[in-house]
Amino acid sequence: MIPQEILNEFNKKYFKRNNQYYKLSELNIAFKYLKVYPLGGGFQTTIKLDDYFLNKWREGEYVFTDEMPVIMETGKFGFDCWNKEWIKGWHNPFERWNGWRVPWLTIEGIRQFNKMQDKFFKKKDNPPYFEILNEGMKNIKTKVIYNDPQGDEPYEIEPRIFNLGGWDQTPLYDVSLGLTWDMYDDEGEIA
């Protein structure tokens, strides 16, 4: 029988083990198993709710939670078609979209994105790009509009302020947008 003390934990959104977060998918009390899948993509995993599992949970190695930590790390982001050229940005190492990184860029990074698109694509190819509106206008918020001529209608991306070391209040924009971003290491290889 599964102890009552752990049953309330199954109401939470996420399961964490080995510094990896999983979304809770299915709990089967009769057969004593839990199904989870890794955030950002991957195969569903079945975990037996046996004494080993319960001991790991009691020791704090297995944790159930409703929140993931927001840890922003710097990275170099780009695409194969950019021939190992990249843009500096930030990402949360726990957050993925279908296994791909979810980069956040500053306005300068968004400008750099547009320059890279111009460098590697012709306008007739209709590559995705960003419009930056109202920049530098007093008392008017800068707007960033994402345009993907082969996708949905253009839409505005709202900035978020992250604590990037306790002092930095630079707005960052989520530019994942269904794009398959690569992250590069210091040698220029895909990380």
Side-chain angles (χ1 to χ4, degrees):
M1 177 171 226
I2 298 174
Q4 182 64 37
E5 65 195 79
I6 197 171
L7 289 177
N8 292 334
E9 296 292 303
F10 296 128
N11 293 327
K12 304 220 172 134
K13 292 181 189 176
Y14 306 109
F15 168 68
K16 178 186 167 194
R17 71 174 178 191
N18 301 328
N19 212 28
Q20 171 71 44
Y21 284 81
Y22 299 83
K23 180 83 171 146
L24 298 178
S25 173
E26 178 186 339
L27 169 65
N28 188 312
I29 295 175
F31 290 102
K32 294 185 178 180
Y33 67 78
L34 176 66
K35 289 190 175 184
V36 298
Y37 55 91
L39 290 181
F43 295 107
Q44 182 170 271
T45 301
T46 301
I47 301 170
K48 289 177 65 172
L49 300 175
D50 56 12
D51 289 337
Y52 177 82
F53 177 88
L54 293 172
N55 288 335
K56 291 288 188 184
W57 174 71
R58 287 183 183 112
E59 293 166 2
E61 289 186 44
Y62 293 173
V63 177
F64 293 89
T65 182
D66 281 324
E67 296 181 16
M68 287 190 318
V70 177
I71 300 169
M72 298 302 280
E73 297 178 351
T74 59
K76 301 171 184 175
F77 299 96
F79 306 96
D80 276 346
C81 60
W82 286 0
N83 298 324
K84 296 188 179 186
E85 292 191 42
W86 48 267
I87 300 170
K88 179 186 174 191
W90 285 263
H91 73 106
N92 181 336
F94 299 111
E95 185 179 9
R96 302 281 181 114
W97 172 79
N98 276 353
W100 300 96
R101 307 289 180 162
V102 177
W104 292 74
L105 300 177
T106 62
I107 288 287
E108 186 54 44
I110 289 172
R111 272 195 216 95
Q112 187 65 26
F113 174 92
N114 287 341
K115 287 178 188 173
M116 298 290 255
Q117 292 294 82
D118 288 343
K119 179 177 178 177
F120 291 102
F121 293 98
K122 296 179 173 123
K123 289 290 184 199
K124 68 179 176 81
D125 294 332
N126 287 328
Y129 66 96
F130 296 94
E131 288 181 74
I132 302 171
L133 307 173
N134 306 332
E135 187 175 21
M137 297 179 72
K138 279 190 169 190
N139 302 322
I140 298 177
K141 181 178 98 174
T142 299
K143 287 186 176 186
V144 173
I145 309 293
Y146 176 67
N147 289 288
D148 183 353
Q150 300 170 2
D152 297 326
E153 293 291 317
Y155 62 92
E156 183 175 354
I157 302 169
E158 292 290 332
R160 278 189 57 196
I161 305 291
F162 292 96
N163 183 345
L164 303 175
W167 53 269
D168 193 341
Q169 296 295 306
T170 303
L172 297 177
Y173 297 84
D174 175 358
V175 295
S176 56
L177 307 168
L179 300 173
T180 54
W181 290 88
D182 291 318
M183 190 167 98
Y184 294 89
D185 62 20
D186 290 336
E187 286 77 43
E189 299 300 320
I190 295 175

